[in-house]
Amino acid sequence: MYYIGVMSGTSLDGVDLALMDFSTVQPQLIHADFYPMPSELRQQISALCNSGETTLQALGELDHRLGLLYADCIKHFLQKYHLSPTQITAIGCHGQTIWHSPTSQYPFTMQIGDANLIAAKTGITTVADFRRKDMAFGGQGAPLVPAFHQALFSKPDQATVVLNIGGISNISCLLPNEEVIGYDTGPGNTLLDAWIEKHQGKAYDKDAVWAKSGTVNQALLQDLLAEPFFALPPPKSTGRELFNLAWLNKKLEKHTALQPQDVQATLVELTAQSIVAQLNQIQTDLPRYLLVCGGGMKNTLLMTRLAVLLPDWKVETTNDYGLNGDDVEAAAFAWLAHRRLNDQPANLPSVTGAKSAVSLGAIYPKESEIAQ
């Protein structure tokens, strides 16, 4: 009972794939891989996410190109691991979020990457468009992974929080005998990546070398933390439509004398403190475990700051619990596809604010003839 999960996140660094086996009591990760996002495509998507402006022609073409990219990645994945399409029950593809607006007068979320093309090119039933059913029932449409985190990581004798640090950071609070709570805490890597790309032309700050060369500016940090999103109660979710370079540049208007590396160091501290502020609200006498996943777990400065700021928590990664932190998000969408094909609910109303638990995702069935 193999499913492939496909995820390209807010960071736009590439496409994660995970092959999951759901024939056992505990879901098993069989294979995982990563395919970098073509730079020109990444730049176009980034510009669209940051500005929110495009033409219908450009939007349609991006939707098509992403569908082809996902399909090509899946076909390479199958070939690499000597798998046949007939061995795969379904693909769960999140798509690429280009705008997320859960609190507007007419709430919506938009992911692109044509799932019709994925099903046609791979010959595998594809499940996509996971978020809008939750929103139709009054939810935020995000985050969707806490239900998966609960299935894999909850323990009856400890307070477990799973922290995913992608472009945006989100937490899943798994406390015994309590409803799961999960929400976005604020920026993860998105501002860090945008700032170093602007100043050094690099996609990310490897090993946080540049951030470590700077000094945290407390005045800027307090201005960044004054963003109203941080004070909102859950359920809440956010994305690049808020936390982007334009947002940062506006905050920097009062801090023109800062060195770029000091801004980078301050952005790491922003990510750390905005996460910690939420964890400090958790009341429990149980042992506290923070399991970190996502690209941010490789940021050694960020991980160090989390450990220092959370002395009562044991800070680890999901790697220590049987699932590589790079693969958690993709694995979650394989799990969501499995839930959809079995008509099982996949959202948690306590997380998203939806009126009820519902099965998520639209199904794009495979056809007998595969287009070439």
Side-chain angles (χ1 to χ4, degrees), residues 74-350:
I74 292 162
K75 289 195 287 186
H76 284 131
F77 185 81
L78 294 173
Q79 185 177 25
K80 178 175 180 177
Y81 294 107
H82 309 290
L83 295 163
S84 164
T86 58
Q87 293 176 267
I88 311 301
T89 303
I91 296 162
C93 182
H94 172 265
Q96 183 64 55
T97 298
I98 56 170
W99 204 259
H100 186 67
S101 183
T103 58
S104 55
Q105 182 181 1
Y106 301 103
F108 74 96
T109 187
M110 185 177 291
Q111 287 77 39
I112 59 174
D114 189 351
N116 294 285
L117 283 171
I118 300 171
K121 297 292 185 182
T122 64
I124 301 170
T125 293
T126 301
V127 185
D129 192 11
F130 288 97
R131 299 191 183 277
R132 292 198 293 174
K133 175 65 79 66
D134 181 84
M135 295 186 79
F137 279 80
Q140 293 259 327
L144 297 182
V145 292
F148 177 67
H149 293 159
Q150 181 187 37
L152 262 68
F153 300 118
S154 61
K155 302 282 186 183
D157 56 352
Q158 66 184 49
T160 305
V161 173
V162 182
L163 166 64
N164 174 63
I165 309 176
I168 298 297
S169 298
N170 54 69
I171 57 174
S172 302
C173 304
L174 313 174
L175 276 66
N177 304 315
E178 294 188 24
E179 285 189 322
V180 176
I181 298 173
Y183 54 94
D184 291 345
T185 61
N189 305 315
T190 186
L191 295 174
L192 294 165
D193 294 348
W195 189 250
I196 194 170
E197 184 172 26
K198 176 182 178 179
H199 287 276
Q200 297 196 353
K202 298 177 181 178
Y204 66 102
D205 187 6
K206 184 176 175 59
D207 297 323
V209 170
W210 195 41
K212 290 175 183 176
S213 72
T215 302
V216 173
N217 182 276
Q218 291 297 328
L220 173 61
L221 178 62
Q222 294 311 309
D223 282 348
L224 297 175
L225 287 169
E227 166 58 45
F229 174 83
F230 296 122
L232 291 175
K236 61 179 180 176
S237 52
T238 189
R240 292 168 70 107
E241 63 281 347
L242 172 60
F243 292 109
N244 53 42
L245 267 183
W247 177 85
L248 177 58
N249 288 332
K250 184 73 175 174
K251 300 288 187 179
L252 286 170
E253 288 176 358
K254 296 192 298 183
H255 306 276
T256 54
L258 292 182
Q259 295 297 313
Q261 64 269 26
D262 295 338
V263 175
Q264 188 77 354
T266 306
L267 291 174
V268 172
E269 192 68 9
L270 170 68
T271 294
Q273 290 206 18
S274 58
I275 292 166
V276 167
Q278 300 304 310
L279 297 183
N280 283 341
Q281 296 180 27
I282 296 173
Q283 302 295 319
T284 180
D285 294 326
L286 293 170
R288 304 174 185 216
Y289 287 79
L290 180 65
L291 313 185
V292 186
C293 58
M297 70 178 185
K298 299 174 184 175
N299 186 315
T300 52
L301 176 58
L302 178 54
M303 291 295 287
T304 298
R305 291 301 296 151
L306 288 173
V308 169
L309 293 168
L310 294 167
D312 296 331
W313 292 74
K314 187 171 179 61
V315 179
E316 300 177 311
T317 69
T318 59
N319 300 17
D320 305 310
Y321 289 75
L323 187 56
N324 190 298
D326 288 331
D327 307 326
V328 172
E329 292 269 290
F333 281 90
W335 183 83
L336 286 164
H338 175 253
R339 302 285 291 184
R340 179 66 186 91
L341 263 60
N342 288 277
D343 290 322
Q344 296 172 317
N347 64 332
L348 293 173
S350 61

